[in-house]
Amino acid sequence: RRCLQEYPCLEYGNQVTVWVTLWAADSASYTDSSDDETSPRDKQQKNSKGNGDFCIKNIKQADFGRREIEIAEQEMPALMALRKRAQGEKPLAGAKVVGCTHITAQTAVLMETLSALGAQCRWAACNIYSTQNEVAAALAEGGFSVFAWKGESEDDFWWCIDRCVNVEGWQPNMILDDGGDLTHWIYKKYPNMFKKIKGIVEESVTGVHRLYQLSKAGKLCVPAMNVNDSVTKQKFDNLYCCRESILDGLKRTTDVMFGGKQVVVCGYGEVGKGCCAALKAMGSIVYVTEIDPICALQACMDGFRLVKLNEVIRQVDIVITCTGNKNVVVREYLDRMKNGCIVCNMGHSNTEIDVASLRTPELTWERVRSQVDHVIWPDGKRIVLLAEGRLLNLSCSTVPTFVLSITATTQALALIELYNAPEGRYKQDVYLLPKKMDEYVASLHLPTFDAHLTELTDEQAKYLGLNKNGPFKPNYYRYGNILFLAVHMVCVRRELMSLM
């Protein structure tokens, strides 16, 4: 319209050409394609206040990032409520939090909440592909020390973590980690820092596994909070988030149609359950591999066929890993896959698919689009590898903000709990979030649905032996435990058979 007003003599074809050119110019400032190839490590950037304690792709994208953060705030009611309720008290005053998580709009809301509660923050990315550059720019413009950009090399990744930790005149006293890389780096390079660190909050199954290994070996120096196995993380983020984002990630990268496709999902934990439910609803034929007989039984009773990977590897169209393990899909399986098979990972770490075995002279790598590679065999067979085996949803798409609000609120409360805990409450071990805190996180999200909780009467509370205000379930209770129902039905059947 602007072109027509200013240049009414343009012919139709030229009008379209000029309009497309202007549109591309407007959108270029938002996309990464406009950035030069210079490494952010080689740039000298400062925000509008003259602060240069950050390393990101392009500070000029800050306005776009700020708009994304504002959108995320609308879907993160609990964090916004936490800001309001605790801002006057400043429960994190004096806290110096060093973080290593995905740097997205949702993480930005968490970081700004921690800052509003009194904390100082320095942040790096836990994944080389998941950083939203415009969000990192908005955080840097807001005064946060952020060291991350999309497409970091392995060397960049560790350099960014080191820049967060190794700074003159500033030492962290809290760690917020996702995957355990930050914790590992401090143990390896700066072990003396743990003398002043009060605690670690870990979000992922991979990082939690590392913490339990340290604890078992007697090498865990500080208390750690296992957020991954909290009810609010397991039953909401791991399940509902992956149920929606698996389809989004696959669609954006491959444009694949799911109806009738044969898919094998390796692992039937909460992430696997979410992936399987979504694919089944879209008409896919879903197989499951699993090592745990309990999860395996759940898969069977949910209507999925339990197989070994070698039984179906030649016929499936899509292979998805979500085990948290290593070498789940090895070169032997990759060699046997059918032409055009899509291979991706929904676990935190890039160890599940043996990508290193594909970097050999006889195989050809062909970049199709961002985060999509063809790996071509000598006979012409090719597989479609997504995000080089790294986390699909955050590398190739986005995740539902509301679900991340639940996890982020849990992380914030875990930091507050560890930071303010009196000496002696927590030993040098790994702890689960108190049940009461889980329930509090859930309650903060209920108003979004205009939901109304039923309250126990005094008589009912006494009958159940509960406090009217919770916690309402014992620590051993497993929400949505399908196995319990299965075992119960088996017992009922046996009783009926005995009566016949």
Side-chain angles (χ1 to χ4, degrees), residues 109-141:
V109 178
L110 169 62
M111 290 171 64
E112 292 181 346
T113 299
L114 298 179
S115 178
L117 302 182
Q120 297 177 28
C121 300
R122 296 179 68 85
W123 230 263
C126 68
N127 184 297
I128 64 174
Y129 291 129
S130 64
T131 297
Q132 294 176 336
N133 286 333
E134 63 278 7
V135 171
L139 287 167
E141 177 60 32

PDB file of all heavy atoms in Angstrom, residues 109-141:
ATOM      1  N   VAL A 109      11.526 -14.280  31.414  1.00  0.00           N
ATOM      2  CA  VAL A 109      10.541 -13.928  32.448  1.00  0.00           C
ATOM      3  C   VAL A 109      11.015 -14.442  33.804  1.00  0.00           C
ATOM      4  O   VAL A 109      10.895 -13.750  34.821  1.00  0.00           O
ATOM      5  CB  VAL A 109       9.148 -14.495  32.097  1.00  0.00           C
ATOM      6  CG1 VAL A 109       8.136 -14.162  33.205  1.00  0.00           C
ATOM      7  CG2 VAL A 109       8.657 -13.936  30.769  1.00  0.00           C
ATOM      8  N   LEU A 110      11.581 -15.647  33.828  1.00  0.00           N
ATOM      9  CA  LEU A 110      12.135 -16.192  35.078  1.00  0.00           C
ATOM     10  C   LEU A 110      13.280 -15.326  35.579  1.00  0.00           C
ATOM     11  O   LEU A 110      13.324 -14.957  36.768  1.00  0.00           O
ATOM     12  CB  LEU A 110      12.614 -17.627  34.854  1.00  0.00           C
ATOM     13  CG  LEU A 110      13.444 -18.253  35.983  1.00  0.00           C
ATOM     14  CD1 LEU A 110      12.634 -18.334  37.274  1.00  0.00           C
ATOM     15  CD2 LEU A 110      13.963 -19.629  35.577  1.00  0.00           C
ATOM     16  N   MET A 111      14.219 -14.977  34.708  1.00  0.00           N
ATOM     17  CA  MET A 111      15.379 -14.187  35.121  1.00  0.00           C
ATOM     18  C   MET A 111      14.950 -12.824  35.658  1.00  0.00           C
ATOM     19  O   MET A 111      15.472 -12.353  36.686  1.00  0.00           O
ATOM     20  CB  MET A 111      16.336 -14.011  33.939  1.00  0.00           C
ATOM     21  CG  MET A 111      17.047 -15.289  33.532  1.00  0.00           C
ATOM     22  SD  MET A 111      17.981 -15.125  31.978  1.00  0.00           S
ATOM     23  CE  MET A 111      19.204 -13.897  32.446  1.00  0.00           C
ATOM     24  N   GLU A 112      14.008 -12.194  34.994  1.00  0.00           N
ATOM     25  CA  GLU A 112      13.551 -10.883  35.454  1.00  0.00           C
ATOM     26  C   GLU A 112      12.769 -10.989  36.750  1.00  0.00           C
ATOM     27  O   GLU A 112      12.770 -10.062  37.567  1.00  0.00           O
ATOM     28  CB  GLU A 112      12.727 -10.214  34.351  1.00  0.00           C
ATOM     29  CG  GLU A 112      13.593  -9.840  33.151  1.00  0.00           C
ATOM     30  CD  GLU A 112      12.857  -9.143  32.030  1.00  0.00           C
ATOM     31  OE1 GLU A 112      11.608  -9.158  32.022  1.00  0.00           O
ATOM     32  OE2 GLU A 112      13.523  -8.574  31.144  1.00  0.00           O
ATOM     33  N   THR A 113      12.130 -12.138  36.961  1.00  0.00           N
ATOM     34  CA  THR A 113      11.453 -12.375  38.250  1.00  0.00           C
ATOM     35  C   THR A 113      12.489 -12.533  39.361  1.00  0.00           C
ATOM     36  O   THR A 113      12.346 -11.948  40.448  1.00  0.00           O
ATOM     37  CB  THR A 113      10.561 -13.633  38.168  1.00  0.00           C
ATOM     38  OG1 THR A 113       9.558 -13.437  37.174  1.00  0.00           O
ATOM     39  CG2 THR A 113       9.891 -13.911  39.517  1.00  0.00           C
ATOM     40  N   LEU A 114      13.528 -13.314  39.110  1.00  0.00           N
ATOM     41  CA  LEU A 114      14.590 -13.477  40.109  1.00  0.00           C
ATOM     42  C   LEU A 114      15.225 -12.142  40.447  1.00  0.00           C
ATOM     43  O   LEU A 114      15.513 -11.846  41.619  1.00  0.00           O
ATOM     44  CB  LEU A 114      15.663 -14.449  39.588  1.00  0.00           C
ATOM     45  CG  LEU A 114      15.220 -15.884  39.298  1.00  0.00           C
ATOM     46  CD1 LEU A 114      16.387 -16.707  38.765  1.00  0.00           C
ATOM     47  CD2 LEU A 114      14.626 -16.540  40.537  1.00  0.00           C
ATOM     48  N   SER A 115      15.422 -11.315  39.430  1.00  0.00           N
ATOM     49  CA  SER A 115      15.989  -9.983  39.660  1.00  0.00           C
ATOM     50  C   SER A 115      15.053  -9.126  40.504  1.00  0.00           C
ATOM     51  O   SER A 115      15.491  -8.415  41.415  1.00  0.00           O
ATOM     52  CB  SER A 115      16.259  -9.299  38.316  1.00  0.00           C
ATOM     53  OG  SER A 115      16.769  -8.000  38.504  1.00  0.00           O
ATOM     54  N   ALA A 116      13.744  -9.209  40.209  1.00  0.00           N
ATOM     55  CA  ALA A 116      12.767  -8.442  40.987  1.00  0.00           C
ATOM     56  C   ALA A 116      12.722  -8.898  42.440  1.00  0.00           C
ATOM     57  O   ALA A 116      12.381  -8.121  43.336  1.00  0.00           O
ATOM     58  CB  ALA A 116      11.379  -8.587  40.357  1.00  0.00           C
ATOM     59  N   LEU A 117      13.092 -10.161  42.676  1.00  0.00           N
ATOM     60  CA  LEU A 117      13.098 -10.700  44.040  1.00  0.00           C
ATOM     61  C   LEU A 117      14.430 -10.461  44.747  1.00  0.00           C
ATOM     62  O   LEU A 117      14.634 -10.925  45.859  1.00  0.00           O
ATOM     63  CB  LEU A 117      12.785 -12.199  44.017  1.00  0.00           C
ATOM     64  CG  LEU A 117      11.450 -12.605  43.381  1.00  0.00           C
ATOM     65  CD1 LEU A 117      11.249 -14.100  43.472  1.00  0.00           C
ATOM     66  CD2 LEU A 117      10.290 -11.877  44.025  1.00  0.00           C
ATOM     67  N   GLY A 118      15.345  -9.753  44.081  1.00  0.00           N
ATOM     68  CA  GLY A 118      16.572  -9.327  44.741  1.00  0.00           C
ATOM     69  C   GLY A 118      17.847  -9.973  44.255  1.00  0.00           C
ATOM     70  O   GLY A 118      18.940  -9.626  44.716  1.00  0.00           O
ATOM     71  N   ALA A 119      17.768 -10.923  43.313  1.00  0.00           N
ATOM     72  CA  ALA A 119      18.956 -11.665  42.885  1.00  0.00           C
ATOM     73  C   ALA A 119      19.731 -10.932  41.798  1.00  0.00           C
ATOM     74  O   ALA A 119      19.161 -10.182  41.007  1.00  0.00           O
ATOM     75  CB  ALA A 119      18.559 -13.049  42.386  1.00  0.00           C
ATOM     76  N   GLN A 120      21.031 -11.157  41.773  1.00  0.00           N
ATOM     77  CA  GLN A 120      21.873 -10.787  40.634  1.00  0.00           C
ATOM     78  C   GLN A 120      22.070 -12.049  39.794  1.00  0.00           C
ATOM     79  O   GLN A 120      22.258 -13.128  40.339  1.00  0.00           O
ATOM     80  CB  GLN A 120      23.227 -10.271  41.093  1.00  0.00           C
ATOM     81  CG  GLN A 120      23.195  -8.998  41.920  1.00  0.00           C
ATOM     82  CD  GLN A 120      24.595  -8.614  42.393  1.00  0.00           C
ATOM     83  OE1 GLN A 120      25.590  -8.926  41.748  1.00  0.00           O
ATOM     84  NE2 GLN A 120      24.663  -7.947  43.530  1.00  0.00           N
ATOM     85  N   CYS A 121      22.018 -11.908  38.456  1.00  0.00           N
ATOM     86  CA  CYS A 121      22.065 -13.088  37.594  1.00  0.00           C
ATOM     87  C   CYS A 121      23.117 -12.952  36.502  1.00  0.00           C
ATOM     88  O   CYS A 121      23.294 -11.869  35.921  1.00  0.00           O
ATOM     89  CB  CYS A 121      20.700 -13.318  36.922  1.00  0.00           C
ATOM     90  SG  CYS A 121      19.333 -13.588  38.063  1.00  0.00           S
ATOM     91  N   ARG A 122      23.790 -14.058  36.221  1.00  0.00           N
ATOM     92  CA  ARG A 122      24.648 -14.193  35.040  1.00  0.00           C
ATOM     93  C   ARG A 122      24.251 -15.496  34.365  1.00  0.00           C
ATOM     94  O   ARG A 122      24.067 -16.510  35.043  1.00  0.00           O
ATOM     95  CB  ARG A 122      26.138 -14.222  35.426  1.00  0.00           C
ATOM     96  CG  ARG A 122      26.623 -12.928  36.051  1.00  0.00           C
ATOM     97  CD  ARG A 122      28.099 -13.010  36.428  1.00  0.00           C
ATOM     98  NE  ARG A 122      28.975 -13.078  35.260  1.00  0.00           N
ATOM     99  CZ  ARG A 122      29.403 -12.004  34.593  1.00  0.00           C
ATOM    100  NH1 ARG A 122      29.027 -10.785  34.974  1.00  0.00           N
ATOM    101  NH2 ARG A 122      30.206 -12.135  33.547  1.00  0.00           N
ATOM    102  N   TRP A 123      24.118 -15.482  33.021  1.00  0.00           N
ATOM    103  CA  TRP A 123      23.467 -16.610  32.360  1.00  0.00           C
ATOM    104  C   TRP A 123      24.191 -17.057  31.092  1.00  0.00           C
ATOM    105  O   TRP A 123      24.704 -16.239  30.324  1.00  0.00           O
ATOM    106  CB  TRP A 123      22.042 -16.225  31.984  1.00  0.00           C
ATOM    107  CG  TRP A 123      21.019 -17.222  32.427  1.00  0.00           C
ATOM    108  CD1 TRP A 123      20.462 -18.223  31.672  1.00  0.00           C
ATOM    109  CD2 TRP A 123      20.425 -17.328  33.721  1.00  0.00           C
ATOM    110  NE1 TRP A 123      19.554 -18.938  32.420  1.00  0.00           N
ATOM    111  CE2 TRP A 123      19.510 -18.404  33.681  1.00  0.00           C
ATOM    112  CE3 TRP A 123      20.575 -16.631  34.914  1.00  0.00           C
ATOM    113  CZ2 TRP A 123      18.754 -18.782  34.781  1.00  0.00           C
ATOM    114  CZ3 TRP A 123      19.828 -17.002  36.012  1.00  0.00           C
ATOM    115  CH2 TRP A 123      18.925 -18.071  35.939  1.00  0.00           C
ATOM    116  N   ALA A 124      24.210 -18.378  30.875  1.00  0.00           N
ATOM    117  CA  ALA A 124      24.676 -18.971  29.619  1.00  0.00           C
ATOM    118  C   ALA A 124      23.618 -19.966  29.150  1.00  0.00           C
ATOM    119  O   ALA A 124      22.698 -20.319  29.902  1.00  0.00           O
ATOM    120  CB  ALA A 124      26.017 -19.678  29.815  1.00  0.00           C
ATOM    121  N   ALA A 125      23.760 -20.421  27.905  1.00  0.00           N
ATOM    122  CA  ALA A 125      22.781 -21.354  27.331  1.00  0.00           C
ATOM    123  C   ALA A 125      23.227 -22.792  27.555  1.00  0.00           C
ATOM    124  O   ALA A 125      24.413 -23.107  27.486  1.00  0.00           O
ATOM    125  CB  ALA A 125      22.611 -21.089  25.841  1.00  0.00           C
ATOM    126  N   CYS A 126      22.256 -23.678  27.781  1.00  0.00           N
ATOM    127  CA  CYS A 126      22.571 -25.095  27.985  1.00  0.00           C
ATOM    128  C   CYS A 126      22.500 -25.883  26.678  1.00  0.00           C
ATOM    129  O   CYS A 126      22.756 -27.077  26.662  1.00  0.00           O
ATOM    130  CB  CYS A 126      21.619 -25.704  29.015  1.00  0.00           C
ATOM    131  SG  CYS A 126      19.916 -25.827  28.437  1.00  0.00           S
ATOM    132  N   ASN A 127      22.136 -25.210  25.589  1.00  0.00           N
ATOM    133  CA  ASN A 127      21.998 -25.883  24.296  1.00  0.00           C
ATOM    134  C   ASN A 127      22.468 -24.916  23.213  1.00  0.00           C
ATOM    135  O   ASN A 127      22.086 -23.741  23.218  1.00  0.00           O
ATOM    136  CB  ASN A 127      20.535 -26.291  24.066  1.00  0.00           C
ATOM    137  CG  ASN A 127      20.328 -27.086  22.793  1.00  0.00           C
ATOM    138  OD1 ASN A 127      20.555 -26.603  21.697  1.00  0.00           O
ATOM    139  ND2 ASN A 127      19.876 -28.317  22.939  1.00  0.00           N
ATOM    140  N   ILE A 128      23.282 -25.378  22.286  1.00  0.00           N
ATOM    141  CA  ILE A 128      23.884 -24.467  21.302  1.00  0.00           C
ATOM    142  C   ILE A 128      22.897 -24.003  20.243  1.00  0.00           C
ATOM    143  O   ILE A 128      23.191 -23.070  19.494  1.00  0.00           O
ATOM    144  CB  ILE A 128      25.109 -25.110  20.628  1.00  0.00           C
ATOM    145  CG1 ILE A 128      24.709 -26.340  19.808  1.00  0.00           C
ATOM    146  CG2 ILE A 128      26.173 -25.446  21.657  1.00  0.00           C
ATOM    147  CD1 ILE A 128      25.860 -26.932  18.989  1.00  0.00           C
ATOM    148  N   TYR A 129      21.715 -24.641  20.171  1.00  0.00           N
ATOM    149  CA  TYR A 129      20.755 -24.273  19.127  1.00  0.00           C
ATOM    150  C   TYR A 129      19.479 -23.614  19.654  1.00  0.00           C
ATOM    151  O   TYR A 129      18.666 -23.125  18.867  1.00  0.00           O
ATOM    152  CB  TYR A 129      20.343 -25.518  18.329  1.00  0.00           C
ATOM    153  CG  TYR A 129      21.449 -26.093  17.477  1.00  0.00           C
ATOM    154  CD1 TYR A 129      21.760 -27.453  17.548  1.00  0.00           C
ATOM    155  CD2 TYR A 129      22.192 -25.292  16.625  1.00  0.00           C
ATOM    156  CE1 TYR A 129      22.779 -27.993  16.775  1.00  0.00           C
ATOM    157  CE2 TYR A 129      23.220 -25.819  15.857  1.00  0.00           C
ATOM    158  CZ  TYR A 129      23.499 -27.170  15.931  1.00  0.00           C
ATOM    159  OH  TYR A 129      24.512 -27.698  15.169  1.00  0.00           O
ATOM    160  N   SER A 130      19.245 -23.615  20.959  1.00  0.00           N
ATOM    161  CA  SER A 130      17.938 -23.205  21.474  1.00  0.00           C
ATOM    162  C   SER A 130      17.835 -21.724  21.828  1.00  0.00           C
ATOM    163  O   SER A 130      16.753 -21.229  22.129  1.00  0.00           O
ATOM    164  CB  SER A 130      17.573 -24.043  22.707  1.00  0.00           C
ATOM    165  OG  SER A 130      18.487 -23.807  23.760  1.00  0.00           O
ATOM    166  N   THR A 131      18.935 -20.984  21.808  1.00  0.00           N
ATOM    167  CA  THR A 131      18.886 -19.574  22.206  1.00  0.00           C
ATOM    168  C   THR A 131      18.095 -18.748  21.202  1.00  0.00           C
ATOM    169  O   THR A 131      18.293 -18.853  19.993  1.00  0.00           O
ATOM    170  CB  THR A 131      20.315 -18.999  22.311  1.00  0.00           C
ATOM    171  OG1 THR A 131      21.016 -19.697  23.333  1.00  0.00           O
ATOM    172  CG2 THR A 131      20.288 -17.510  22.645  1.00  0.00           C
ATOM    173  N   GLN A 132      17.192 -17.925  21.702  1.00  0.00           N
ATOM    174  CA  GLN A 132      16.492 -16.942  20.871  1.00  0.00           C
ATOM    175  C   GLN A 132      17.322 -15.662  20.925  1.00  0.00           C
ATOM    176  O   GLN A 132      17.364 -14.980  21.949  1.00  0.00           O
ATOM    177  CB  GLN A 132      15.076 -16.715  21.397  1.00  0.00           C
ATOM    178  CG  GLN A 132      14.192 -17.959  21.254  1.00  0.00           C
ATOM    179  CD  GLN A 132      12.815 -17.769  21.871  1.00  0.00           C
ATOM    180  OE1 GLN A 132      12.627 -16.935  22.759  1.00  0.00           O
ATOM    181  NE2 GLN A 132      11.850 -18.547  21.417  1.00  0.00           N
ATOM    182  N   ASN A 133      17.996 -15.350  19.824  1.00  0.00           N
ATOM    183  CA  ASN A 133      18.944 -14.237  19.808  1.00  0.00           C
ATOM    184  C   ASN A 133      18.315 -12.911  20.210  1.00  0.00           C
ATOM    185  O   ASN A 133      18.932 -12.091  20.893  1.00  0.00           O
ATOM    186  CB  ASN A 133      19.583 -14.112  18.421  1.00  0.00           C
ATOM    187  CG  ASN A 133      20.602 -15.205  18.164  1.00  0.00           C
ATOM    188  OD1 ASN A 133      21.204 -15.746  19.086  1.00  0.00           O
ATOM    189  ND2 ASN A 133      20.787 -15.562  16.903  1.00  0.00           N
ATOM    190  N   GLU A 134      17.085 -12.683  19.768  1.00  0.00           N
ATOM    191  CA  GLU A 134      16.434 -11.414  20.083  1.00  0.00           C
ATOM    192  C   GLU A 134      16.121 -11.299  21.576  1.00  0.00           C
ATOM    193  O   GLU A 134      16.170 -10.217  22.157  1.00  0.00           O
ATOM    194  CB  GLU A 134      15.159 -11.241  19.246  1.00  0.00           C
ATOM    195  CG  GLU A 134      14.066 -12.259  19.485  1.00  0.00           C
ATOM    196  CD  GLU A 134      14.261 -13.567  18.749  1.00  0.00           C
ATOM    197  OE1 GLU A 134      15.339 -13.766  18.131  1.00  0.00           O
ATOM    198  OE2 GLU A 134      13.347 -14.407  18.804  1.00  0.00           O
ATOM    199  N   VAL A 135      15.825 -12.428  22.211  1.00  0.00           N
ATOM    200  CA  VAL A 135      15.570 -12.442  23.660  1.00  0.00           C
ATOM    201  C   VAL A 135      16.871 -12.187  24.424  1.00  0.00           C
ATOM    202  O   VAL A 135      16.894 -11.417  25.394  1.00  0.00           O
ATOM    203  CB  VAL A 135      14.930 -13.775  24.090  1.00  0.00           C
ATOM    204  CG1 VAL A 135      14.873 -13.880  25.616  1.00  0.00           C
ATOM    205  CG2 VAL A 135      13.534 -13.905  23.497  1.00  0.00           C
ATOM    206  N   ALA A 136      17.949 -12.829  23.978  1.00  0.00           N
ATOM    207  CA  ALA A 136      19.249 -12.577  24.604  1.00  0.00           C
ATOM    208  C   ALA A 136      19.612 -11.098  24.503  1.00  0.00           C
ATOM    209  O   ALA A 136      20.158 -10.506  25.446  1.00  0.00           O
ATOM    210  CB  ALA A 136      20.328 -13.435  23.930  1.00  0.00           C
ATOM    211  N   ALA A 137      19.275 -10.477  23.349  1.00  0.00           N
ATOM    212  CA  ALA A 137      19.538  -9.045  23.165  1.00  0.00           C
ATOM    213  C   ALA A 137      18.713  -8.203  24.136  1.00  0.00           C
ATOM    214  O   ALA A 137      19.222  -7.233  24.725  1.00  0.00           O
ATOM    215  CB  ALA A 137      19.242  -8.642  21.725  1.00  0.00           C
ATOM    216  N   ALA A 138      17.454  -8.568  24.325  1.00  0.00           N
ATOM    217  CA  ALA A 138      16.589  -7.823  25.250  1.00  0.00           C
ATOM    218  C   ALA A 138      17.104  -7.924  26.678  1.00  0.00           C
ATOM    219  O   ALA A 138      17.071  -6.942  27.439  1.00  0.00           O
ATOM    220  CB  ALA A 138      15.148  -8.345  25.162  1.00  0.00           C
ATOM    221  N   LEU A 139      17.581  -9.101  27.053  1.00  0.00           N
ATOM    222  CA  LEU A 139      18.132  -9.276  28.398  1.00  0.00           C
ATOM    223  C   LEU A 139      19.399  -8.448  28.583  1.00  0.00           C
ATOM    224  O   LEU A 139      19.599  -7.805  29.617  1.00  0.00           O
ATOM    225  CB  LEU A 139      18.427 -10.753  28.654  1.00  0.00           C
ATOM    226  CG  LEU A 139      17.200 -11.658  28.869  1.00  0.00           C
ATOM    227  CD1 LEU A 139      17.586 -13.124  28.794  1.00  0.00           C
ATOM    228  CD2 LEU A 139      16.531 -11.352  30.207  1.00  0.00           C
ATOM    229  N   ALA A 140      20.267  -8.460  27.563  1.00  0.00           N
ATOM    230  CA  ALA A 140      21.494  -7.665  27.641  1.00  0.00           C
ATOM    231  C   ALA A 140      21.171  -6.180  27.724  1.00  0.00           C
ATOM    232  O   ALA A 140      21.810  -5.439  28.481  1.00  0.00           O
ATOM    233  CB  ALA A 140      22.375  -7.952  26.422  1.00  0.00           C
ATOM    234  N   GLU A 141      20.174  -5.739  26.964  1.00  0.00           N
ATOM    235  CA  GLU A 141      19.761  -4.339  27.009  1.00  0.00           C
ATOM    236  C   GLU A 141      19.208  -3.988  28.386  1.00  0.00           C
ATOM    237  O   GLU A 141      19.356  -2.858  28.873  1.00  0.00           O
ATOM    238  CB  GLU A 141      18.707  -4.070  25.933  1.00  0.00           C
ATOM    239  CG  GLU A 141      18.142  -2.656  25.921  1.00  0.00           C
ATOM    240  CD  GLU A 141      19.198  -1.583  25.687  1.00  0.00           C
ATOM    241  OE1 GLU A 141      20.195  -1.841  24.977  1.00  0.00           O
ATOM    242  OE2 GLU A 141      19.017  -0.480  26.243  1.00  0.00           O
TER     243      GLU A 141
END
